[in-house]
Amino acid sequence: MSVTASHKATTRQNILDAAIAIFREKGFQKTRVSDIVSAAGLAQGTFYLYFKSKEDIAREICRNFMDSFSGIVEADHNIFESKTIDELNSRLRQMVFSALKVFKNNAEAAEIVLREGIGQGGLFKELYENLIIRFIELLGEKIANGRSQNMLGIPNPDTAAVFIVGLVERSFFFFMVMRKDLNIDVIADDMTSFILHGLALQSQQ
């Protein structure tokens, strides 16, 4: 990467980082472009070399999450075609772990998406719903195509996908945003076990 290209990439990321910080502090609706460039230490004209508006930044934040989650689901093409419960457990845990890691590595952006997407109307609500729906669709397709449907007795792949996505999303919000304590390894283990076994009563010895 040339010095110029590297500088442009750094400036673009600085604007994104500043926008995320201001969105968290003031909320998306109350944030102005002037707030973002001030936090980034840039002239306002520089902002428009990289983004058309604050809405453009919101779209990029959500697009980055969608790319990451799509990559996670697509990384293991046959996750729900596992031949044994142990194999499925291992592959499902990896998917859950990876999804939680994306959230944790982008915690501030994730908090904005979740808070603004649920708590506010407008653009962020639309972007949030598109993000969640697309993730559910991708996961539902994998479940529907998997032979382990029979192993797990899943009556409706789409509903199962909603449950899994909701579990990952709300767990991140509770442990990372509210409690400020997200141990990915522990939560991935517990979440995988819950997905596979639910609240089924254990047989008494």
Side-chain angles (χ1 to χ4, degrees):
M1 181 181 291
S2 68
V3 174
T4 301
S6 177
H7 175 72
K8 287 183 176 180
T10 299
T11 300
R12 182 182 182 86
Q13 189 60 50
N14 286 343
I15 295 173
L16 274 171
D17 291 342
I20 288 169
I22 299 300
F23 288 165
R24 287 186 73 213
E25 177 186 339
K26 302 183 68 171
F28 177 75
Q29 299 295 340
K30 294 182 179 180
T31 295
R32 300 171 299 178
V33 170
S34 59
D35 298 323
I36 297 171
V37 297
S38 177
L42 299 170
Q44 186 144 337
T46 303
F47 176 92
Y48 295 104
L49 296 175
Y50 297 88
F51 299 98
K52 297 177 181 178
S53 62
K54 69 175 186 179
E55 287 79 11
D56 203 19
I57 291 180
R59 292 187 183 94
E60 175 143 339
I61 291 171
C62 290
R63 184 166 55 247
N64 288 342
F65 274 111
M66 191 65 254
D67 290 345
S68 296
F69 289 135
S70 296
I72 290 169
V73 176
E74 296 296 339
D76 190 343
H77 295 286
N78 304 309
I79 181 172
F80 291 100
E81 295 184 24
S82 303
K83 294 180 173 59
T84 67
I85 286 292
D86 286 343
E87 180 187 357
L88 178 60
N89 184 88
S90 176
R91 295 165 75 174
L92 181 59
R93 184 196 182 281
Q94 182 58 49
M95 185 189 74
V96 169
F97 178 89
S98 297
L100 289 171
K101 188 175 181 181
V102 167
F103 273 131
K104 187 170 185 178
N105 288 347
N106 303 276
E108 292 185 349
E111 180 180 347
I112 291 167
V113 171
L114 298 182
R115 286 191 186 278
E116 294 282 344
I118 293 176
Q120 304 292 332
L123 177 64
F124 248 114
K125 180 177 184 292
E126 176 186 343
L127 293 173
Y128 167 79
E129 290 179 352
N130 289 340
L131 172 66
I132 293 298
I133 289 171
R134 183 56 184 146
F135 194 23
I136 289 171
E137 288 174 346
L138 287 170
L139 192 57
E141 290 171 6
K142 296 296 180 184
I143 297 173
N145 293 333
R147 286 191 295 269
S148 55
Q149 285 186 79
N150 295 328
M151 184 194 310
L152 295 176
I154 298 173
N156 188 319
D158 293 332
T159 300
V162 171
F163 292 162
I164 293 173
V165 172
L167 184 59
V168 172
E169 179 212 15
R170 287 294 96 187
S171 294
F172 164 81
F173 191 83
F174 178 77
F175 289 107
M176 191 72 196
V177 177
M178 296 175 63
R179 288 186 52 178
K180 312 296 184 185
D181 180 23
L182 176 62
N183 185 319
I184 297 179
D185 282 306
V186 172
I187 298 301
D189 285 341
D190 291 347
M191 193 177 295
T192 301
S193 177
F194 186 83
I195 291 171
L196 291 179
H197 305 293
L199 297 176
L201 293 175
Q202 302 298 310
S203 59
Q204 300 295 319
Q205 299 297 327

